[in-house]
Structures are given as C-alpha cells and as structure tokens.
Amino acid sequence: HFLRVAQIGEGQLIGIRFDHDKSGGPGDRGILDAAIPFIPMLFHPEVKVDPGLYAADPGWTGERVWLNFGNTSIYSPVLYLPAVAGVWIGQAMHLKILPSLYLARLGNALVAITLAGLGLRLAGRTAPYLFLVLALPMSLALMANASQDGVMEGCVAIAAGLAAASRQRPTDMANRNTAN
C-alpha cells in the first residue's frame, strides 16, 4: 500500500501494467531499500525488530525504479489521499522513508477516526454497537495503516450511522433534537 501511496503522491493516479502478471509503476528506490532489511521478518513472528534495521533507510533517493505492486495499483487514489498528505509532509521536512510512512499512517488514522466519529454521532441509539465494531483490534489496526482500508471504514461508519438514523422513529429523532 505504501508503494501505491508514493505513486499517487508523485501524481501517477493509475498503475501501469508492465508485464502479463505485473503492474505498479516507477517509484523511489529508497522505498525498496528501506523495506529490504524487514523482509526476513515476513511470516516469522519470532523475529523481532532490531533498531539497526532503521539505519538501512536511505531516505528519498530520487532514483526511479520499476516496482511491482499489482495487488494495490488498481485501487482508486481517492481514499489514499490522507496517507499521501503524510508522505508530502515527510518529504517537505526532508524525513527518511520510515518516518514518512509513520506520517502517512497518522494521516490515515486522523481522517478515519474523524469519519468514524461522525458516523457514531449519526448512529443515535445504535452508536454503542457501531463503536464496538470500530473498536475491534483489526478495525483499529486498519485505521492506523497506510492502506485505504481505514478511511473506507470511516466512510462505512458514516453510511451505517445514516442507515441507523433513517430507521429510528420520528419521536426518537424529536427527543434527540430537543436534548441537544
């Protein structure tokens, strides 16, 4: 997802198919170099993060390489915009790749939580149930991720809140409005 975020941040809104089973596009080589030290950790929960892994982050190099991220290159750029803003801020502050990733995740979290809060406000009596779903560990993890999923959760919370509000009786809505 971070490769897609970086691609959108560079103004490339649509992924490019460059082989029969590969798509993605050109990206900063620094992203690849920053990720390589973490690859041995994949599917090995016993391997822990060593602070030395962060030292391998070369920062934004400006060198373009073709990156394959076919699983996300097809997604719409709209829900990635909060993460893109985080990357832009990181680049403007001359931060390396990993701190820029953290800013992208923070941007997603802030927007997702704001949207979820609006959905909870709209949900009325069903807000506690919606809150339980939004507070599940996976929901929270997605909100603080560099993918579009957390922002999508916030949008779904708004839709659920609107649906719940439409199902409430008019007397419930009148009581709610007079209480405010």
Side-chain angles (χ1 to χ4, degrees), residues 1 52 122 124 172:
H1 288 281
L122 294 169
D172 292 341

Side-chain angles (χ1 to χ4, degrees), residues 1 20 50-51 60 62 77 81 88 94 110 114 119 122 133 140-141 156 168 170 172:
H1 288 281
H20 73 282
D50 179 340
W60 300 96
L81 293 179
W88 285 344
H94 304 288
L110 292 174
T114 301
L122 294 169
V133 173
L140 295 173
V156 169
Q168 292 180 15
D172 292 341

Side-chain angles (χ1 to χ4, degrees), residues 36-167:
I36 288 174
F38 294 91
I39 290 174
M41 298 177 68
L42 292 174
F43 308 109
H44 294 285
E46 71 280 1
V47 179
K48 304 301 177 200
V49 175
D50 179 340
L53 296 175
Y54 293 96
D57 183 351
W60 300 96
T61 65
E63 181 185 346
R64 319 302 301 147
V65 294
W66 279 95
L67 299 170
N68 180 21
F69 49 98
N71 57 332
T72 59
S73 68
I74 60 171
Y75 293 152
S76 166
V78 175
L79 297 179
Y80 282 105
L81 293 179
V84 169
V87 167
W88 285 344
I89 292 169
Q91 290 172 333
M93 295 175 63
H94 304 288
L95 298 177
K96 291 187 173 193
I97 303 289
L98 294 173
S100 298
L101 168 63
Y102 297 148
L103 286 174
R105 293 172 65 182
L106 178 64
N108 265 2
L110 292 174
V111 170
I113 290 169
T114 301
L115 293 173
L118 179 59
L120 288 169
R121 175 73 177 108
L122 294 169
R125 294 186 324 222
T126 59
Y129 304 107
L130 180 57
F131 178 78
L132 286 174
V133 173
L134 291 169
L136 289 170
M138 192 65 216
S139 297
L140 295 173
L142 289 174
M143 288 182 190
N145 200 323
S147 73
Q148 85 287 4
D149 297 332
V151 177
M152 191 181 310
E153 275 184 354
C155 293
V156 169
I158 290 174
L162 288 170
S166 72
R167 302 276 303 161

